Amino acid sequence: EKGKLTLNVAYKLENKQLTADNHLFIDQFTFGERVDSPDATSLPVNLAIALLRNNRGEIDIRLPISGSLDDPQFSVGGLIVKVIVNLFVKAVTSPFALLGSMFGGGEELSNLAFVAGRTQLDAAALTKMEALARALNERSALKLDVTGHADPETDREGVKRVAIERAMQKEKFADLQKKGGDVESADMLRIEPEEYKTYLTRVYRAAKFPKPRNFVGLQKELSVEEMEKLMLANLPAADGDLSQLARQRAENVQQWLIENGKVPAERIFLVPAKGPATGGGRVDFALR
């Protein structure tokens, strides 16, 4: 319907071999009404344009081409069209790779990996999130779907380990309160290596499951490894816990993008997973 195209070209022809660079700058590119045509592409071009066009309505791309004039099929225009179609295909089939090449050093941005049982964003995840937020803020036509996943294998044990850690933090928090310590919550506490066995022993003894006993019926003294093994084998971690873990991961990502990445909330959607995850807990993204 409207738009202005500026094309800067640099063509080198030597021994009938062409090497060329086409710098396309398209300003305010706007589609008109849909027209049925047998020659029309089946690609979702609206998504491709949303990926390529910045918030000022500009598309700025470089299209290098090369070929031999001896080739009877050689056509400069045909090569340019082919490169543009390839760019659109990449935008549609690998949109996060395209965004990563523009905003995140080429890094794939389509998912975030999480430590088993955890919902916190680590340093690697934050780097991806910062790149994704830049891309979304520069491409305001894009909307993001966020889906959290929990792995039935790795995350089930991870949930148990996190439960043990939190119980130990509560024990330490109670000790500090008795001593008049100024700590706001147990979640802020770190269990130091020299404290680990003390607090693990307390948590182990308080846990409600059968424990090995000696010949007089008293609980046996066990090593750290033995206590951990028994607790991991006996503590509950239901499917509901995994669903909550997946949901919390997605919500944390959404919250970070809104509060830290400054992406408008109406552009970020939480989408439930369609099945159990494999290959580790993560959050997946989809653009539309």
Side-chain angles (χ1 to χ4, degrees):
E1 186 171 272
K2 70 174 183 177
K4 179 183 289 186
L5 167 68
T6 302
L7 176 62
N8 291 321
V9 298
Y11 279 45
K12 179 182 179 182
L13 183 61
E14 184 175 5
N15 297 325
K16 295 189 176 182
Q17 294 293 320
L18 176 67
T19 303
D21 181 66
N22 302 275
H23 181 195
L24 278 72
F25 185 82
I26 308 172
D27 192 17
Q28 307 307 313
F29 181 86
T30 307
F31 282 114
E33 294 296 323
R34 180 184 178 89
V35 176
D36 290 326
S37 167
D39 299 321
T41 177
S42 60
L43 294 171
V45 289
N46 284 315
L47 174 58
I49 294 300
L51 285 159
L52 295 171
R53 183 170 52 198
N54 64 27
N55 290 348
R56 298 177 295 280
E58 303 165 344
I59 298 175
D60 190 353
I61 53 178
R62 291 187 178 274
L63 302 174
I65 64 171
S66 61
S68 171
L69 271 61
D70 288 332
D71 184 351
Q73 302 298 320
F74 180 82
S75 164
V76 172
L79 283 174
I80 292 177
V81 170
K82 183 178 180 181
V83 172
I84 290 176
V85 170
N86 288 341
L87 179 64
F88 272 47
V89 169
K90 180 179 181 181
V92 171
T93 58
S94 303
F96 291 100
L98 180 65
L99 289 181
S101 67
M102 294 187 288
F103 299 98
E107 189 172 17
E108 174 62 51
L109 301 177
S110 64
N111 61 74
L112 297 176
F114 283 79
V115 175
R118 305 282 177 176
T119 62
Q120 297 87 354
L121 298 167
D122 60 17
L126 288 174
T127 299
K128 282 190 176 185
M129 292 285 284
E130 289 166 359
L132 183 59
R134 286 195 300 271
L136 291 172
N137 284 319
E138 187 62 23
R139 300 290 188 267
S140 58
L142 293 174
K143 294 180 174 62
L144 185 73
D145 290 343
V146 182
T147 303
H149 297 277
D151 188 297
E153 298 299 327
T154 59
D155 276 320
R156 198 177 298 276
E157 179 174 321
V159 166
K160 295 180 182 182
R161 289 190 178 277
V162 170
I164 294 170
E165 179 182 305
R166 289 176 178 166
M168 293 167 66
Q169 288 173 318
K170 289 179 181 179
E171 290 290 335
K172 183 172 181 177
F173 183 68
D175 284 351
L176 291 175
Q177 283 188 313
K178 291 176 183 177
K179 297 176 182 178
D182 185 17
V183 181
E184 293 183 4
S185 71
D187 293 340
M188 300 173 61
L189 295 174
R190 170 185 169 85
I191 305 299
E192 301 297 339
E194 62 273 16
E195 302 171 324
Y196 191 86
K197 183 173 182 178
T198 298
Y199 290 116
L200 179 67
T201 301
R202 288 193 200 173
V203 172
Y204 168 79
R205 288 175 176 170
K208 305 299 183 182
F209 61 82
K211 302 178 181 69
R213 296 182 179 274
N214 58 26
F215 68 95
V216 294
L218 299 176
Q219 285 188 23
K220 285 184 178 181
E221 293 291 331
L222 301 178
S223 67
V224 166
E225 292 76 13
E226 290 171 321
M227 287 188 287
E228 287 179 337
K229 184 176 180 180
L230 283 170
M231 293 188 75
L232 291 173
N234 288 279
L235 288 179
D239 290 343
D241 297 321
L242 297 182
S243 297
Q244 176 60 31
L245 177 67
R247 186 163 51 250
Q248 188 62 57
R249 285 169 171 167
E251 289 175 355
N252 285 357
V253 167
Q254 181 191 45
Q255 183 179 9
W256 191 97
L257 286 170
I258 294 170
E259 296 181 0
N260 300 84
K262 308 303 179 185
V263 180
E266 59 270 19
R267 293 173 56 202
I268 306 174
F269 299 85
L270 296 181
V271 179
K274 294 182 179 180
T278 57
R282 66 186 188 278
V283 164
D284 287 338
F285 300 121
L287 290 168
R288 54 190 175 92

